[in-house]
Amino acid sequence: MDHGIAYRQQVKLHEACGVCGGYAQDQPLAFLTCFALYALQHRGQESAGIVAGPGEGRKVWIKKGMGLVSEVFPDSADLKGVVSKLAIGHVRYSYGQEGRNPENTQPLKLRYRYGELAVAHNGHLLNALELRAELEDQGAIFQTDTDSELLAHMVARQGSELLEDALAEVVPRLKGAFAFIVTDGRKVVGLRDGYGFRPLSLGALNGGGYFLASETCAFDTIQATFIRDLAPGEMVILDAAGVKSRQVIAPKHSRLCIFEYIYFARPDSNLQGRNVHLVRRELGRRLAREHPVEADIVSGVPDSSIAAASGFAEEAGLPYEMSLVKNRYIGRTFIKPTQKMREEGVDLKLNAVQKIVEGKRVVLVDDSIVRGTTSLKLIAIMRRAGAREVHLRISSPPVIGSCYYGIDIPDAKDLIAYNRSPAEIPTLVGADSVGYLSLEEACTAVGLPGSELCSGCFNGYYPVLP
Ligand code: SF4
């Protein structure tokens, strides 16, 4: 059957990156940062890196490379030997050619007039081209294609010896989404953009010192205690004196990416005080109310949709069953940057449990449909296993636009919901029916008004444009 979309174009949304870092007097900071990166691994699997600094005077230590945290740091216990009062870390997801360039691994480390500077970045700068052109006109030579290097150059040129002063001067010139962690080997500085698109939280290390991380699950891994999320536009400075805070960008209305709740963040993380797993379950409950259907079982697409599927099953009074099994020994679909490699990944990754599915009317819950090719494949798998009916339920609204803030959403024309009504989608993906959660219900499930979340790819309202 021609579903109107090619099988080989399979894609899920991709996170931007994960960042972390901390300062403490008597802690194995490089080692702790490595474990925090393990917790943030879901935010990027293409490269990992750590920069650690001994504090005053001496050179910083750096190790980074392509691959998973476990591949870049195979002997994490060795990191206990890295003497450091501070460390910053990064896991990277990137797309296109840029992703395959080892030079773009982070943290990025450069030398400047006051010593060394290392930067880890999650997000995307909308005025990167403009800033790069301006710096190149002034003679700057770039080593990478990353936005992070722009910040490093701007800090180096600003002239203040105090890192936080230099950052406070240059950061207001950045437009877009960013959570930065920066160090000069003496202190660690964390920053969020004025809308707070990407998360960044502050925690206290057990035994003294402070730590910053993209998600709170990293604190649990290293036994740190969550203190608070950084406010939009806030800069936090961690050094020998403890923690200081400065508002460096006038805060706008907070606009945390709603997809962090729906799909990106780990279920054991809390964002703005809301547990991600519980939000997802609530998304599923509301989905069941908005799009009820006569069925025998409910299943979730592993892993990110299981919570929403369990909420759907609870609300609908239907049994939750594991219809799909994921092979955990194959990397996430988007670990491979080419379409062909992605395709091979999905083929190997999921299989239906025939004895569960056979002859049943199945509600299959997924967190999103992007191009529609993954849904097409999943439904084909269920039908091959003997499902009598497959009703696709999506715990987010139709994705109709791209993202300007660092999430790898294809161009609008490649999105299945772009310029199509929801009624056209079942035929395209081969489902008996498809139901999307409304944006209003999604915001209610999160517990925040729509005006405090970014939902640009769902409704075309982008808080800031290039
Ligand atoms: Fe998140 Fe979509 Fe906004 Fe991008 S446009 S930040 S993916 S909600």
Side-chain angles (χ1 to χ4, degrees):
M1 177 164 47
D2 178 13
H3 295 289
I5 44 178
Y7 261 104
R8 56 191 176 75
Q9 293 177 320
Q10 293 164 45
V11 70
K12 287 289 286 183
L13 295 184
H14 302 172
E15 291 90 345
C17 295
V19 294
C20 61
Y23 188 103
Q25 292 295 340
D26 299 304
Q27 302 261 14
L29 255 304
F31 180 70
L32 293 176
T33 299
C34 182
F35 275 84
L37 289 182
Y38 270 107
L40 299 174
Q41 184 76 85
H42 60 291
R43 299 185 72 86
Q45 294 100 46
E46 279 171 8
S47 71
I50 296 175
V51 160
E56 294 298 332
R58 303 214 324 265
K59 287 178 88 173
V60 302
W61 175 94
I62 180 164
K63 186 170 179 189
K64 60 181 183 172
M66 301 299 284
L68 300 171
V69 178
S70 59
E71 292 165 330
V72 179
F73 302 100
D75 300 309
S76 50
D78 290 355
L79 294 172
K80 280 186 176 166
V82 177
V83 180
S84 53
K85 287 181 182 166
L86 60 87
I88 69 171
H90 189 269
V91 283
R92 177 174 174 79
Y93 170 74
S94 55
Y95 33 99
Q97 201 55 38
E98 190 197 327
R100 291 185 288 277
N101 184 354
E103 282 177 356
N104 291 333
T105 54
Q106 295 195 31
L108 202 68
K109 183 176 84 74
L110 300 118
R111 290 196 64 79
Y112 77 132
R113 70 181 102 171
Y114 299 119
E116 291 172 299
L117 198 62
V119 182
H121 174 213
N122 173 22
H124 176 67
L125 300 184
L126 297 174
N127 57 343
L129 287 178
E130 191 187 309
L131 292 171
R132 184 172 283 257
E134 191 183 299
L135 287 161
E136 280 172 346
D137 284 348
Q138 294 166 15
I141 297 169
F142 289 93
Q143 296 172 14
T144 74
D145 308 314
T146 65
D147 294 355
S148 324
E149 198 175 355
L150 294 169
L151 182 73
H153 275 276
M154 289 165 77
V155 165
R157 275 150 204 262
Q158 196 281 329
S160 299
E161 185 169 0
L162 216 53
L163 178 61
E164 58 267 40
D165 285 351
L167 285 166
E169 276 298 312
V170 302
V171 161
R173 288 205 58 208
L174 307 179
K175 193 172 157 189
F178 52 86
F180 275 112
I181 301 192
V182 186
T183 182
D184 59 358
R186 301 174 186 88
K187 60 189 69 173
V188 168
V189 179
L191 282 158
R192 267 180 107 192
D193 67 73
Y195 291 97
F197 288 110
R198 309 261 74 93
L200 190 62
S201 303
L202 173 69
L205 288 165
N206 186 5
Y210 295 92
F211 205 81
L212 295 158
S214 292
E215 286 185 38
T216 62
C217 63
F219 298 146
D220 301 335
T221 306
I222 59 171
Q223 298 188 323
T225 309
F226 169 77
I227 299 175
R228 65 182 177 85
D229 298 320
L230 268 67
E234 183 185 7
M235 172 165 77
V236 157
I237 304 122
L238 315 181
D239 60 14
V243 189
K244 287 190 292 274
S245 166
R246 271 166 79 167
Q247 192 70 38
V248 288
I249 304 170
K252 322 273 189 315
H253 228 112
S254 175
R255 289 281 191 175
L256 182 67
C257 166
I258 193 171
F259 251 126
E260 292 280 352
Y261 289 101
I262 293 165
Y263 169 62
F264 301 144
R266 241 172 67 158
D268 50 341
S269 286
N270 300 323
L271 300 167
Q272 295 171 305
R274 291 150 182 86
N275 172 255
V276 171
H277 170 81
L278 293 177
V279 168
R280 287 182 188 160
R281 214 164 65 187
E282 188 58 25
L283 291 167
R285 285 200 190 106
R286 289 174 182 274
L287 182 59
R289 272 181 247 149
E290 273 199 326
H291 296 284
V293 60
E294 290 277 319
D296 302 309
I297 57 170
V298 179
S299 293
V301 178
D303 292 317
S304 54
S305 306
I306 288 173
S310 71
F312 191 109
E314 252 172 55
E315 186 69 27
L318 292 169
Y320 177 86
E321 289 284 4
M322 188 181 68
S323 292
L324 284 168
V325 176
K326 183 175 174 181
N327 183 334
R328 290 176 198 285
Y329 302 99
I330 297 169
R332 289 175 69 150
T333 313
F334 52 78
I335 196 171
K336 308 286 191 291
T338 70
Q339 200 63 51
K340 185 168 181 299
M341 291 159 97
R342 275 204 286 271
E343 175 191 347
E344 285 162 2
V346 169
D347 279 343
L348 294 169
K349 223 166 124 177
L350 288 166
N351 192 27
V353 184
Q354 193 180 346
K355 296 283 183 203
I356 299 279
V357 167
E358 227 165 20
K360 302 268 181 29
R361 297 169 301 171
V362 182
V363 176
L364 186 62
V365 179
D366 204 352
D367 47 66
S368 53
I369 312 183
V370 184
R371 294 180 197 262
T373 43
T374 301
S375 307
L376 177 64
K377 180 136 235 163
L378 289 173
I379 289 160
I381 290 173
M382 300 297 271
R383 292 209 191 276
R384 272 205 304 275
R388 186 147 58 92
E389 292 173 17
V390 186
H391 300 276
L392 190 59
R393 293 294 178 269
I394 304 299
S395 60
S396 64
V399 178
I400 55 161
S402 207
C403 175
Y404 298 100
Y405 314 123
I407 303 304
D408 184 16
I409 297 181
D411 288 345
K413 64 175 174 32
D414 295 324
L415 299 169
I416 193 170
Y418 178 70
N419 267 349
R420 287 196 179 103
S421 79
E424 295 174 71
I425 309 300
T427 317
L428 293 171
V429 297
D432 291 281
S433 71
V434 175
Y436 289 96
L437 186 65
S438 66
L439 184 56
E440 196 182 31
E441 289 293 317
C443 295
T444 312
V446 170
L448 287 168
S451 58
E452 291 183 25
L453 291 159
C454 177
S455 48
C457 52
F458 296 126
N459 62 359
Y461 177 75
Y462 295 94
V464 54
L465 283 166

